[in-house]
Amino acid sequence: MTLRTIFERQRDIIDYSLQNMLRRWSKNTLILIIFIVLVFIVSSVLFINGSLTKEMMVTSMDLPDITVQRIKGGRQVNIQAPDALEIEKIPGVEAVEKRVWGYFYQETLQANFTIYGMDLDQLEKGEYNQIVDWKSYPDDIERNPDFRMIVGHGVLELLKNIEMDNTFLFFQPGWQQLISFDIIGTFRGETELQSNDMMILQIQGARKVLELPDNEFTDLAVFIPNPEEIDNIALKIQRLFPGLRTVTREQIKNSYASVFGWKSAFVLSSLLAGIFAFLILIWDKASGLSLEEKREIGILKAVGWDTALVLQVKFWEGLILSGISSVSGILLAYAFVYWLRAPGLKQIFIGWSTIYPSFRLTPDVDFKFLVLIITICVVPYLAVTIFPAWKAAITDPDVMIRNI
Amino acid sequence: MILHPWILGLAVGHSTLLLLFSLCVLNAWQIFRGWDYNSTGENQFLLEKKTYLISSIINFTLFVQILMLFLFEITADELANVLPGAMCAVGTLSSNNYGFLLLNLKIVSTFVYFMWLVINYLDNQMETYPLVKKKYLALILIYPLPIMEIILFFKFAFHLDPSVITSCCGSVFNESAKGIGGSLANSSASISLSLFFCVAFLLLGNRYITCRWGRGHKRLGALLEFPFWILFFITAILVTISFISTYVYEMVSHNCLFCFIGSQYHYYGVFLYFSLFIATGAGMTGGLLEMITKPAILAKKARLLQKKMHTVSFYGMMLFLVTGFWPFIVYYIKTGRLI
Amino acid sequence: MDNHVIEIINVTKTYNKGKPNEVTAVKDTSLEINEGSLVVLKGSSGSGKTTLLSLIGCQTKPTTGEVIIQGKKVSKLPEKFMNLHKRKNIGFIFQHFQLIAGMSVLDNIMLPLIPEGISSKERYRRANQLLEQFNLTHRREFKTSSLSGGEQQRAAIARALINNPGILLADEPSAHLDSELTSSLLDHISRLKQSGHTILITSHDPDVYQKSMVDHIFEMKNGQIISS
């Protein structure tokens, strides 16, 4: 048989399969709907997982190579300036940044913000300049340069509700007075996962809000130019300073990825029961041939169709059905996750975030998800249909001659 | 053990494969025991119908196997995010003893399923199904492949430990590293290149000679194709590690077999490995077909199919050469120097 | 020496062998049919004539014995090769016509050509020719369920002829037709005989087997040919 006739024949078989399915659309509709829902859930979970992992990868670039904390009685306490000087002396360490940060709970909004102290003048000059939208202020008002801040996008949206999107007032019971900060910029969208609940305060102001003494810091960020040395230096710090704890960037990254992976696997595992039920339904539908279908296959066999050819018809039917379901399920999931922002599902994944996050997930759709979706949804479906399809295809042609 | 969507996908795929294959083997055993061409009993009719079931399943199995090969590579790549020290698939695979073993087994199974299907196709051309018993016996004999695969997979998955630091392509294929990966990359590009081209010329030369010479040599030459193509596959992987990859990544020290499969390199690896698998699969099958000598009419059909396999493997090889050396040519033209 | 296109040698067909509902439909029967002849198998219902026709039409395999069609022993061939032979040599007109209800007349007629991988152009050419010949062109796109009995009958004949088979088998072709349609059917059959087809018909209708164009009449009873 030449390539042309093979092609010609396949086209006719597909044609027949399509016609056959359309004639029995009511039998296939239920399967189609359930199939679409399954693909939709699986792809939604995978899309969210993929986007979160990617976002985490992007933000983790900015993480320090090693974060050093002081531990006392199993709790993290403030770190002293001399520790930083000692660590800086370790060969291979390029720089040690003394960081000031903490959390602030705003009662009216019932939201928890991450506060980070930095020198904003330096930030304006440095590489971070590009990820901030700077606000301009008319310069006639006198402002205290120690009380300026930059906020995440989500924070700004929230602050609009309490009309504090220009000036934010920090207050806690026990304080003598309010501390007011001017908002001078917001972060751009690409790094929303971590900057979403973030307030970057001028360092002197941050110390006031966090009630941190002048020679103490929250933790240290250690920068090491040679990535091969990071683990060794972390070990060395722990050996030299028994009271300090080190966390490397890799450790943070891996634990985030594990959490995302674990969460999506958990959702998918609970879906397996659903998939299993679906497979039983398919088995049932595919095995229960109606008299009419049996007669039709008998006719096909009688006019000279081979078992293999009828099997091909069944195979194409399965492929068309799973193709339509997969494409629609994936498109629906795309719309659900990236346009509607995955209401319902998102909460499962971002449980650690205490603010009501409004972050967009940046689309990260790859060929690799298709392979996984096919493996989880389409492969079991086709596998379950093989045996009933064969049962149908071996119908003897003389069945319809003798019985009907 | 890591609970992860990709691991879950692999588990689903492997279980499906094993279930279907078991169904196949059950029926293959019945056919092997009960096949009697001269019988006109209903049992023989049923066995004949069962051959269709088995062909369908093995066809599907090959499709899933190829899909799983992809999925396994992607999984290894994705899990690198979770495993400390792993930067890409190599890190995940070498994080325990089972990763590379499973990958190798998967490649072998893929070729075996392909060859079985070709032989099955050939046998189905004959009215008497002369190979029927051998073919189903072979199917029963390769049953350990999917079983081993699922065992290795679960061992691999259970031994993935996020708290153990693994090494990655930087160190596995690093020239200073000990072990097989290191010595592979260490055997410098020129050695692996010459090995590769030796095998390629041996193959083509052997083919040229067998075309020219008489029957006796013809048989030997055709049979030799089988081991030659295995060698070709291995040396092609060597060349990919030590030469092709450096030009794809445009870095001397990056010798990874997997990183270029993904979207960052425009799925370059998919095309590269596709051509390599097609060439090797068709080439090996061509050699295998030479073993079929009886009955004469089947042998004649086998020779026809063998010719097709030879053509396919030749074009596959050419495609591999073009795909593989394209980055090198582009780099050389752009910069006028080697890496 | 006559040219036998169909040879049946000591054929027995048993259904459900070894089970309580075992039925032997054809018992140790032999039969030879010459090329170009028109043969009628008559007999009461249950006499085994339909089973014999199925055996000749490669729709089923004999339990014992040989079926030889156009010089080829088909009884032992695997399904695939039997089908190859069937598609080349045999056209079968089934009782109740057996057209697929939801499909158009045209698609029904072209069904036997799909396994051959014949180009759609050639398929349409042959189908249109047959539709014309059987006066069905105006029903081309109609679903077969909406056709009259006579039209269904003609569509069934057209489908049987689309492979240009040398042998035409018809199972009780007149069973569901009135006398007017029966005579038109017989006209078609006589024309097919004149064009060289070998035709085998089962019937218990005297209108059919008493025609002068019939070359042979075999009578079946209890799975055996009792007279010819």
Side-chain angles (χ1 to χ4, degrees):
Chain A
M1 219 182 260
T2 64
L3 218 60
R4 207 188 121 85
T5 55
I6 290 172
F7 176 74
E8 197 76 55
R9 198 167 80 155
Q10 283 306 318
R11 208 196 51 197
D12 295 335
I13 293 168
I14 295 171
D15 204 41
Y16 175 82
S17 312
L18 263 173
Q19 271 200 34
N20 196 22
M21 288 175 79
L22 285 176
R23 273 187 289 133
R24 295 181 217 295
W25 63 271
S26 60
K27 185 185 174 181
N28 293 317
T29 315
L30 181 66
I31 292 179
L32 195 73
I33 291 170
I34 302 178
F35 208 152
I36 290 176
V37 170
L38 276 180
V39 174
F40 166 75
I41 300 175
V42 170
S43 355
S44 300
V45 170
L46 293 179
F47 286 163
I48 295 177
N49 178 30
S51 289
L52 286 177
T53 312
K54 196 183 170 197
E55 175 113 10
M56 188 265 305
M57 288 296 156
V58 172
T59 35
S60 72
M61 304 287 215
D62 299 334
L63 286 175
D65 296 318
I66 303 175
T67 310
V68 179
Q69 303 164 334
R70 175 164 288 281
I71 301 295
K72 201 180 248 173
R75 284 181 312 114
Q76 190 193 337
V77 294
N78 295 339
I79 203 162
Q80 313 290 320
D83 288 336
L85 288 173
E86 290 299 316
I87 290 171
E88 222 159 19
K89 285 181 194 154
I90 295 174
V93 173
E94 187 184 56
V96 177
E97 189 195 325
K98 292 163 280 196
R99 300 199 299 182
V100 169
W101 63 279
Y103 301 104
F104 177 78
Y105 181 70
Q106 216 286 339
E107 266 178 85
T108 335
L109 292 169
Q110 294 187 315
N112 215 358
F113 298 114
T114 307
I115 292 170
Y116 198 94
M118 268 181 115
D119 188 351
L120 293 183
D121 293 329
Q122 263 185 355
L123 189 122
E124 205 165 354
K125 285 177 216 141
E127 56 181 311
Y128 290 94
N129 194 2
Q130 297 148 13
I131 59 166
V132 176
D133 281 322
W134 300 96
K135 274 198 215 172
S136 57
Y137 280 96
D139 269 342
D140 52 336
I141 306 165
E142 187 68 28
R143 286 163 199 279
N144 187 342
D146 284 352
F147 297 96
R148 296 175 301 162
M149 69 177 190
I150 302 168
V151 297
H153 193 74
V155 179
L156 194 75
E157 292 299 314
L158 273 178
L159 296 187
K160 278 185 182 155
N161 296 335
I162 50 170
E163 292 178 359
M164 288 213 256
D165 52 326
N166 284 322
T167 310
F168 184 77
L169 300 174
F170 285 99
F171 180 75
Q172 267 183 9
W175 288 5
Q176 301 295 320
Q177 58 183 51
L178 296 164
I179 308 175
S180 102
F181 272 74
D182 293 322
I183 296 170
I184 60 165
T186 52
F187 286 108
R188 297 233 170 97
E190 295 117 53
T191 54
E192 278 192 273
L193 180 63
Q194 290 207 343
S195 55
N196 205 31
D197 62 345
M198 190 89 103
M199 294 174 156
I200 306 264
L201 275 57
Q202 178 66 31
I203 191 156
Q204 291 82 356
R207 283 186 181 282
K208 292 260 170 5
V209 175
L210 296 171
E211 300 179 72
L212 199 68
D214 269 349
N215 59 341
E216 291 185 7
F217 301 90
T218 317
D219 57 13
L220 303 176
V222 180
F223 295 92
I224 294 153
N226 182 359
E228 305 274 310
E229 284 191 274
I230 293 176
D231 289 324
N232 286 334
I233 290 176
L235 279 175
K236 201 177 253 176
I237 293 172
Q238 281 191 326
R239 228 179 308 122
L240 291 177
F241 310 96
L244 299 187
R245 175 169 74 182
T246 58
V247 185
T248 63
R249 172 167 52 197
E250 278 291 295
Q251 282 168 338
I252 295 177
K253 220 167 79 173
N254 290 338
S255 58
Y256 267 123
S258 288
V259 167
F260 296 148
W262 188 85
K263 283 187 179 187
S264 40
F266 181 77
V267 175
L268 291 182
S269 308
S270 24
L271 244 184
L272 282 186
I275 293 178
F276 194 66
F278 176 58
L279 294 180
I280 291 174
L281 176 84
I282 291 165
W283 176 275
D284 193 51
K285 285 253 171 190
S287 324
L289 276 189
S290 70
L291 218 63
E292 183 60 23
E293 283 172 277
K294 218 172 160 86
R295 193 181 77 99
E296 283 193 20
I297 293 172
I299 293 174
L300 293 181
K301 298 287 288 278
V303 299
W305 287 42
D306 301 323
T307 302
L309 207 60
V310 180
L311 270 170
Q312 280 180 35
V313 168
K314 293 278 160 197
F315 166 76
W316 278 115
E317 282 179 14
L319 215 62
I320 292 167
L321 194 98
S322 41
I324 294 173
S325 321
S326 303
V327 170
S328 349
I330 290 172
L331 288 180
L332 279 175
Y334 188 92
F336 173 73
V337 173
Y338 297 120
W339 293 350
L340 299 180
R341 301 180 181 188
L345 259 184
K346 188 171 61 177
Q347 275 73 8
I348 299 176
F349 284 89
I350 47 167
W352 77 84
S353 187
T354 39
I355 198 174
Y356 310 112
S358 68
F359 63 81
R360 280 184 309 280
L361 295 153
T362 357
D364 175 37
V365 180
D366 197 301
F367 170 73
K368 63 192 181 190
F369 290 118
L370 200 66
V371 177
L372 187 55
I373 292 165
I374 289 174
T375 316
I376 292 183
C377 301
V378 179
V379 165
Y381 169 77
L382 289 177
V384 163
T385 52
I386 285 184
F387 191 77
W390 171 75
K391 268 279 185 207
I394 59 167
T395 306
D396 281 320
D398 66 333
V399 162
M400 74 76 192
I401 300 173
R402 284 185 298 134
N403 293 352
I404 304 168
Chain B
M1 175 71 184
I2 294 177
L3 189 58
H4 204 275
W6 302 91
I7 293 280
L8 213 64
L10 279 173
V12 168
H14 274 111
S15 318
T16 312
L17 263 184
L18 187 67
L19 267 169
L20 282 179
F21 210 103
S22 307
L23 183 67
C24 249
V25 167
L26 210 72
N27 286 296
W29 175 245
Q30 288 169 357
I31 295 176
F32 179 70
R33 285 281 305 275
W35 186 268
D36 175 12
Y37 181 75
N38 289 316
S39 159
T40 47
E42 284 183 27
N43 187 45
Q44 174 64 15
F45 292 167
L46 185 66
L47 290 182
E48 195 197 312
K49 287 169 179 172
K50 285 190 169 178
T51 61
Y52 289 100
L53 178 65
I54 294 180
S55 313
S56 309
I57 293 182
I58 300 295
N59 266 310
F60 183 65
T61 302
L62 180 67
F63 159 74
V64 178
Q65 187 71 23
I66 293 170
L67 198 74
M68 297 292 282
L69 208 55
F70 269 112
L71 188 69
F72 187 59
E73 192 279 326
I74 298 168
T75 303
D77 209 34
E78 287 290 310
L79 288 183
N81 292 332
V82 184
L83 298 169
M87 315 288 273
C88 74
V90 175
T92 311
L93 292 179
S94 52
S95 71
N96 61 45
N97 292 332
Y98 307 106
F100 273 108
L101 205 60
L102 179 56
L103 181 69
N104 293 341
L105 186 67
K106 277 189 171 307
I107 294 172
V108 172
S109 316
T110 310
F111 284 134
V112 169
Y113 298 157
F114 176 72
M115 285 189 276
W116 191 89
L117 279 172
V118 174
I119 301 290
N120 182 45
Y121 168 79
L122 176 73
D123 190 40
N124 286 351
Q125 304 290 303
M126 304 291 298
E127 290 176 1
T128 52
Y129 292 166
L131 297 177
V132 83
K133 289 221 171 190
K134 286 179 192 161
K135 159 174 111 171
Y136 290 111
L137 180 65
L139 198 63
I140 296 166
L141 290 179
I142 59 177
Y143 189 40
L145 284 177
I147 296 178
M148 283 293 291
E149 261 187 49
I150 201 163
I151 292 174
L152 275 179
F153 163 70
F154 280 113
K155 285 211 162 206
F156 169 72
F158 277 111
H159 284 86
L160 279 179
D161 189 348
S163 61
V164 174
I165 295 174
T166 69
S167 49
C168 198
C169 50
S171 45
V172 171
F173 296 129
N174 196 308
E175 298 185 14
S176 60
K178 293 192 185 85
I180 190 147
S183 52
L184 284 184
N186 201 12
S187 58
S188 63
S190 55
I191 295 175
S192 62
L193 274 175
S194 38
L195 261 174
F196 171 74
F197 280 109
C198 266
V199 174
F201 281 121
L202 211 60
L203 256 173
L204 295 177
N206 175 44
R207 220 172 246 191
Y208 179 76
I209 290 167
T210 38
C211 276
R212 289 275 158 133
W213 285 7
R215 276 271 2 135
H217 295 286
K218 210 166 188 166
R219 186 165 158 68
L220 179 70
L223 282 174
L224 274 176
E225 291 243 336
F226 191 79
F228 279 177
W229 276 105
I230 297 178
L231 275 179
F232 178 79
F233 187 83
I234 296 169
T235 49
I237 296 290
L238 279 182
V239 163
T240 311
I241 294 176
S242 65
F243 181 78
I244 294 175
S245 63
T246 51
Y247 286 95
V248 179
Y249 305 123
E250 303 192 344
M251 269 188 276
V252 204
S253 56
H254 203 177
N255 301 105
C256 188
L257 280 172
F258 303 101
C259 295
F260 55 51
I261 293 178
S263 53
Q264 309 99 293
Y265 293 92
H266 309 288
Y267 306 108
Y268 171 79
V270 175
F271 297 106
L272 186 76
Y273 291 133
F274 175 75
S275 56
L276 182 60
F277 271 76
I278 291 284
T280 312
M284 281 164 65
T285 316
L288 190 73
L289 284 172
E290 184 64 31
M291 303 203 0
I292 297 168
T293 49
K294 276 185 286 183
I297 180 154
L298 180 72
K300 211 173 136 197
K301 293 215 179 211
R303 292 305 97 82
L304 275 175
L305 198 58
Q306 191 181 34
K307 224 173 213 160
K308 277 184 195 166
M309 288 294 153
H310 281 173
T311 320
V312 171
S313 58
F314 178 77
Y315 284 116
M317 188 203 257
M318 291 301 132
L319 192 66
F320 177 76
L321 289 176
V322 171
T323 322
F325 289 87
W326 183 251
F328 161 71
I329 293 165
V330 169
Y331 184 87
Y332 190 73
I333 290 172
K334 269 204 300 209
T335 63
R337 60 192 169 83
L338 306 173
I339 286 181
Chain C
M1 176 79 195
D2 286 326
N3 188 8
H4 304 311
V5 275
I6 301 170
E7 274 180 85
I8 305 277
I9 305 164
N10 302 333
V11 160
T12 300
K13 176 69 185 178
T14 309
Y15 288 108
N16 306 319
K17 198 168 185 175
K19 290 178 194 160
N21 56 347
E22 180 179 309
V23 180
T24 302
V26 174
K27 259 179 246 161
D28 199 24
T29 297
S30 298
L31 181 70
E32 286 166 356
I33 294 172
N34 293 337
E35 186 165 9
S37 57
L38 170 55
V39 176
V40 174
L41 274 175
K42 69 173 186 177
S44 57
S45 83
S47 62
K49 50 190 193 325
T50 297
T51 303
L52 190 59
L53 206 66
S54 302
L55 285 164
I56 296 168
C58 301
Q59 305 294 8
T60 187
K61 289 181 186 180
T63 313
T64 58
E66 295 277 11
V67 178
I68 302 168
I69 308 290
Q70 301 276 34
K72 179 109 186 161
K73 278 188 198 174
V74 291
S75 40
K76 277 196 183 157
L77 288 179
E79 185 210 271
K80 178 181 159 190
F81 298 96
M82 196 161 100
N83 269 331
L84 217 64
H85 206 66
K86 170 162 91 180
R87 291 198 298 260
K88 213 165 84 190
N89 297 309
I90 294 165
F92 207 122
I93 303 161
F94 307 99
Q95 201 177 356
H96 304 279
F97 322 130
Q98 303 292 4
L99 301 162
I100 294 181
M103 280 168 79
S104 73
V105 175
L106 184 70
D107 285 337
N108 259 292
I109 289 178
M110 294 194 303
L111 271 184
L113 294 181
I114 289 177
E116 299 283 341
I118 289 169
S119 74
S120 54
K121 205 172 142 197
E122 169 68 10
R123 270 189 294 150
Y124 280 105
R125 193 190 64 75
R126 284 200 212 171
N128 284 330
Q129 199 183 351
L130 283 167
L131 284 169
E132 185 116 349
Q133 187 182 336
F134 288 96
N135 196 19
L136 284 167
T137 310
H138 59 298
R139 293 281 187 252
R140 231 175 88 110
E141 302 297 339
F142 280 53
K143 299 254 188 298
T144 51
S145 45
S146 64
L147 297 188
S148 72
E151 285 166 334
Q152 289 196 25
Q153 172 77 74
R154 277 163 12 229
I157 301 177
R159 184 180 65 189
L161 289 174
I162 197 146
N163 277 323
N164 294 323
I167 301 166
L168 195 67
L169 308 174
D171 190 15
E172 300 280 358
S174 64
H176 306 276
L177 303 178
D178 56 30
S179 58
E180 195 181 326
L181 284 172
T182 305
S183 82
S184 117
L185 168 81
L186 291 172
D187 283 350
H188 283 301
I189 288 176
S190 98
R191 237 173 284 139
L192 289 169
K193 188 196 168 193
Q194 276 157 25
S195 62
H197 289 84
T198 308
I199 301 167
L200 181 59
I201 299 174
T202 68
S203 180
H204 56 262
D205 183 355
D207 276 357
V208 175
Y209 59 76
Q210 282 172 2
K211 288 280 174 210
S212 60
M213 58 181 175
V214 175
D215 297 314
H216 276 288
I217 302 173
F218 295 101
E219 188 173 355
M220 283 193 81
K221 197 174 183 186
N222 294 330
Q224 283 179 312
I225 293 175
I226 51 171
S227 70
S228 58

